[in-house]
Structures are given as C-alpha cells and as structure tokens.
Amino acid sequence: MFAVEPAGAEPIPATARHGHAMDLMWTWIPPNMEFATVYIGVVSVLTFDLGFWVATAALVLGAAFGSLAHGLLSSHGPRYGVPQMVVGRVAFGRWGNALPAALNTLGAGLGWFTVNSVAGAHALNGLTGMPNLLCLVLVAAVQIAVAYFGHNLVHRFGRYVMPLVTLAFLASSVVVLSKAHLTGGASTTGSFSGFMLAFSAAFGYAAGWNPFAADYTRYLPADTARPKAALCPALGVFASISLLTVVGAASATIATDQTNPTGAFTSHLPGWLSDITLLAIVAGAVAANAMNTYSGAISFVSLWPRRLPRAPVALVIGLIAFLFAWSALDNASRAYQDFLLVIAYWVSSWLAVIFTDEWLRNRNGVSQQEALRRMMDPAYEVWAGPVAMVVGAAIAVLLFSHQKQYTGIVAHAAPSIGDLTCVVAFALTAALYVALRQLPGLGPGSRYWATTSGPS
C-alpha cells in the first residue's frame, strides 16, 4: 500500500492483476461524498431558480447519464489493462489523443483539484478555526501524498474513509430533509432553461470522472465479468451523486446565509453532527483529489510515446494545482458553475467519439487483441476523432452555450431552451466521426480495417 506504484500508462501484466469488481463500489462512493456534490443541488435552486422536485428530476437524470457512461468505460480496464486515456488512442490515434489527454490533465489535475481543495479547506477551517491558507496546505499535502504512492493507496484510502463520509452524510441528509420546504407551489416551479442547466451541471459532475474510469479497473483480472466491472462503479457514482445533489437542493430551500456555502449547509445540523459532517467533507475532498491528481498524472504520461515515471509527475501536478487552489480560495462559486458546464461540453464530444468507435469496431468484427495493438502502436492515427470532437463541440458551444461569459446564437435567440450544448455536442460529434472516418487521411487506414481473431 505504501510502495510507490511503478506502472504508468503501459499495460498491466497478468501477474500484477488483482482485486474484485465489488471493490469499485467503495472506491467511487467516497470521492463524491463531499460538499462540491452538495453545491450542485444548491445552485440548482438558488441560481437556476428551480423548485425542489424539478431540481431533483434534473439532477438525478444528469447523474444517471454520467454514471451510465462511467460504468461502460470502466469495463474497458479489465479487458485491456491500460488507463482510460490509452484506451482512447484506438479512437483518436496516438497524437490525436493528445487533445483529450491534455484536457483531462488540466480538468482533473488543476480544475477539480482547485474545486475540491477549496471546499475541503473551508470545511477544515470551520471545524478547527485554523486560517484558510493553513487548512488548504494541510488538505493539499495529504491529497498529493496519496496520489504520489498511487493505485493501491488511492483505493485503500477511499475504503478507509467510506464509513465516515457515508454515515455522516446520511445522518446530515436526514436532518436537512426534515427541515427543508419540500411541498407547496414553490417546490414544483422552474423553467426548461433552468432544468437543462441543472441537468448539464449534474451530468458534467458525474461525467467528469469518465475520462479516467478505466484507470481504477485496469488492475482487475482479465476474466472479470464485464457486467460487474461496469455496474459496481456506475452504482457507486450514481448513488453518491444523486443523494447529495438532492440533499443540496433541499438545503437551499431553508432560509439561511449563503455567503459561506459550507457553513450554510452545516448550520442546519446539531453541533456534534455539524463537526462530523465538516470532517467528512474534508475526507471526501481528499479522496476525490487523490484520484484527480493520480489520474491527471496518468493522462499526462499517456501523452508521450516513451515511458514517463508517473509518481514525480503526480507530485509536480499537485504542487501546481495547489497554487491554483490558493488563488481561488476566497471566491470560487461562480467559476465552479461555469467549470461544470465546460466539463460537460468537452466530455460529451469525447464520449461520442469513444462510443461510436467502439460500436464501429464491434460491427466490423475488430478483435480485442487488434484494438490493443492499435492503442500501443506509435504509428496509428485516426484524425477523424480529434477533428470530430473539436468541430462538434465548437458548433454546439457556438449555438447552444448558455453561460454568463458567453451565450450561444440559438440560446440567445430562444433563452427558454436553456443549455443544450452537451446533448447537441454528443449527437453532432458522433455523426461527424462516422462521416470523417471515410475520408482519405482521416480514417484508420486500409491496413487496420482487417480483423484478426473474431469480434471483441
């Protein structure tokens, strides 16, 4: 557990495979049992102007779609034994895959690190009264240390903190729901625009884990049943996110001061439960960011054709991310809302390429062995992947984005439709990928169309 993981982006050999699919349930619950999850529900009511029940429908639906994708991607780990960004090479090619890998390094290693570190620091400040900066240093140090040691410690840390975070948030949820105003006319109000914003935010939060789903299943034995490898992580993500986003929406219906969101949430609780919940928020933030830093480093090393050591990369990314978190320590709420939508935008387009390519490979009878060969071939390129992703996402954002910083052409003309970017981006990118693969120079090339040993 405290030995530094030697593996980077290369395939995990059969002799190093270990673990059970059920372990993934306990891996994925703790990182979502944190205040960043709660806050999605809070903004759905306070910022998107939804009543509790409308917000609940949007949040659960968004979490469900993100969790479904997460489960499907997690099943790639036992099959190929490589991280998710390496699996993506079969659809994006070796150098085209640099686009999603770089975005994931920035999103996970810097963006999510900042979001969760700030939430954890504020919670530790509320619990101990120590200065916010000192709290941030302590939280960041533990996160970086866990990520530095790697896979086994990341899994084990999540398993150790799961009882604390689960019981604390279940107890606080009961109290918040008992005090919330869940009935009456206001509980069912809301616009389609607000619904789509809440849906996109919840989807973006759940789908934010998608680009490193296989990072945490690649050590499972190759004969692990695919349904189990998919179902356990999907349930872990869905159960934790749907519960806490709904509780966050309920907490927003209780009149209170929202200038300190973490304090506003725990102010509804008895003193002893408030302290335990603050401690759970800290533990959940550390569990989440250990995974973000670890997978941010994995994504970075997958960029290079030669093997790079993962552990020092995780250390450097963590130190840089700490500086970003420090700069956002005083005011991150507005940026958080926009960040969630941006995550939803690019991940939707990336998922469209990944799933469409897998469908095409299965239809054409490309074997699992051939797919793995393409992932590891430094000469293999499919420029249709990155081109479709960029064009599909760009058109969707240009037309349908509905953020404070930018409103798309269609969204501006018809604001009642809300933010449809992630839905349009997925459909448009999938169609573009199918079409572009047929063009000379953009597809995988004739020598890769042949099958080798039956369907995967």
Side-chain angles (χ1 to χ4, degrees):
M1 184 171 63
F2 288 104
V4 176
E5 177 192 3
E10 67 275 11
I12 303 301
T15 53
R17 301 289 192 99
H18 63 279
H20 304 280
M22 185 58 70
D23 297 338
L24 299 169
M25 181 84 75
W26 324 132
T27 297
W28 285 108
I29 288 177
N32 296 304
M33 289 288 190
E34 52 161 344
F35 188 73
T37 317
V38 174
Y39 197 59
I40 300 172
V42 174
V43 298
S44 297
V45 173
L46 296 183
T47 304
F48 304 151
D49 297 322
L50 297 179
F52 171 76
W53 292 109
V54 179
T56 294
L59 295 167
V60 171
L61 188 63
F65 275 97
S67 301
L68 175 62
H70 190 73
L72 295 174
L73 295 173
S74 294
S75 69
H76 293 160
R79 296 175 67 196
Y80 302 117
V82 295
Q84 192 64 60
M85 279 298 132
V86 176
V87 176
R89 291 175 184 169
V90 75
F92 284 85
R94 187 64 185 247
W95 289 111
N97 195 56
L99 172 64
L103 287 173
N104 196 46
T105 299
L106 295 173
L110 300 182
W112 281 117
F113 187 101
T114 298
V115 168
N116 296 320
S117 296
V118 169
H122 281 302
L124 188 59
N125 166 262
L127 181 64
T128 64
M130 293 188 298
N132 273 330
L133 180 56
L134 176 58
C135 293
L136 178 64
V137 170
L138 295 175
V139 168
V142 178
Q143 295 165 169
I144 296 170
V146 174
Y148 178 81
F149 283 100
H151 181 274
N152 286 352
L153 185 57
V154 170
H155 275 280
R156 196 66 61 88
F157 183 85
R159 186 184 302 177
Y160 287 160
V161 303
M162 193 194 71
L164 167 65
V165 297
T166 303
L167 292 176
F169 275 111
L170 285 176
S172 62
S173 298
V174 171
V175 175
V176 169
L177 291 171
S178 69
K179 295 182 177 181
H181 307 297
L182 307 183
T183 58
S187 67
T188 57
T189 59
S191 63
F192 181 75
S193 173
F195 182 94
M196 287 307 302
L197 285 168
F199 167 85
S200 298
F203 170 77
Y205 189 89
W209 296 115
N210 291 176
F212 36 97
D215 296 7
Y216 302 95
T217 58
R218 74 191 197 279
Y219 277 90
L220 291 178
D223 60 356
T224 301
R226 290 188 67 185
K228 289 184 178 180
L231 183 62
C232 292
L235 285 178
V237 170
F238 176 73
S240 51
I241 293 178
S242 58
L243 169 66
L244 289 197
T245 53
V246 170
V247 171
S251 72
T253 68
I254 309 172
T256 188
D257 178 17
Q258 293 291 338
T259 56
N260 182 348
T262 306
F265 179 74
T266 56
S267 66
H268 312 312
L269 309 176
W272 63 271
L273 182 55
S274 174
D275 290 344
I276 294 176
T277 302
L278 287 171
L279 181 60
I281 290 173
V282 176
V286 172
N289 269 354
M291 299 178 77
N292 286 320
T293 308
Y294 174 79
S295 285
I298 288 288
S299 295
F300 184 84
V301 300
S302 73
L303 286 166
W304 310 100
R306 293 186 177 182
R307 185 181 184 277
L308 287 181
R310 176 209 55 83
V313 171
L315 180 62
V316 172
I317 288 177
L319 293 175
I320 296 173
F322 166 76
L323 299 178
F324 277 81
W326 187 0
S327 68
L329 192 56
D330 295 328
N331 184 19
S333 59
R334 176 72 247 181
Y336 180 45
Q337 299 168 38
D338 294 340
F339 174 67
L340 284 173
L341 294 177
V342 170
I343 290 292
Y345 297 167
W346 85 260
V347 172
S348 295
S349 292
W350 174 78
L351 287 173
V353 174
I354 294 295
F355 288 141
T356 303
D357 182 82
E358 186 169 17
W359 172 70
L360 289 172
R361 281 187 283 114
N362 287 334
R363 190 186 68 170
N364 294 328
V366 177
S367 70
Q368 180 176 324
Q369 293 79 7
E370 170 63 15
L372 182 60
R373 185 173 76 86
R374 297 183 189 186
M375 296 172 201
M376 307 312 297
D377 184 353
Y380 176 70
E381 295 297 347
V382 189
W383 290 107
V387 172
M389 178 179 166
V390 170
V391 174
I395 293 175
V397 169
L398 178 67
L399 297 178
F400 295 99
S401 177
H402 200 298
Q403 295 200 46
K404 186 176 181 180
Q405 301 298 327
Y406 173 76
T407 301
I409 298 171
V410 175
H412 179 76
S416 61
I417 67 172
D419 195 316
L420 301 180
T421 308
C422 60
V423 178
V424 174
F426 184 91
L428 181 58
T429 302
L432 283 171
Y433 182 67
V434 173
L436 292 174
R437 278 175 60 104
Q438 311 305 316
L439 299 180
L442 294 180
S446 59
R447 70 189 182 101
Y448 289 106
W449 287 106
T451 61
T452 55
S453 58
S456 56

